Amino acid sequence: MNQEWIWVIIGFIGQTLFSARFIIQWLASERARRSIIPVAFWFFSIGGGATLLAYAIYRRDPVFIAGQGAGLVIYVRNLMLIRREKHQASVPETPSNS
């Protein structure tokens, strides 16, 4: 197997991870009977986005690099917001932090 085929496989792995997030989101929404986005969606987004970014860098595709790079920033930011929200929900409210 040559280097070109290895990168094609990496590209398909990234695309599979990226696509799996939609299945996760759909199943979670069906279970909840409302539209929701589980934390796993964002982790699969990061996994797929990072893998696809590596593939795009290898292919030297500036459009693909810009798109995946920007997406990674958004996925990480969403996880930061979720973490902050969970932290705030776990802190008991007192006069000093309200």
Side-chain angles (χ1 to χ4, degrees):
M1 183 175 313
N2 65 22
Q3 185 177 9
E4 188 68 25
W5 274 105
I6 290 171
W7 279 105
V8 169
I9 291 168
I10 289 171
F12 274 114
I13 289 169
Q15 192 60 53
T16 300
L17 288 169
F18 205 66
S19 297
R21 68 196 184 125
F22 290 111
I23 295 168
I24 289 168
Q25 189 275 329
W26 172 54
L27 293 174
S29 293
E30 288 294 334
R31 283 189 194 114
R33 300 234 181 251
R34 63 184 178 86
S35 181
I36 62 168
I37 299 177
V39 173
F41 178 91
W42 300 113
F43 281 110
F44 272 86
S45 296
I46 290 170
T51 306
L52 288 171
L53 178 60
Y55 180 72
I57 290 169
Y58 169 75
R59 302 292 291 182
R60 296 182 181 154
D61 184 329
V63 174
F64 202 15
I65 291 168
Q68 292 304 320
L72 285 172
V73 171
I74 294 166
Y75 310 146
V76 170
R77 179 64 180 145
N78 273 283
L79 285 173
M80 291 169 63
L81 292 170
I82 290 167
R83 183 175 183 211
R84 182 175 67 186
E85 181 180 349
K86 285 183 180 181
H87 175 71
Q88 288 175 343
S90 69
V91 174
E93 187 153 328
T94 63
S96 63
N97 68 356
S98 57

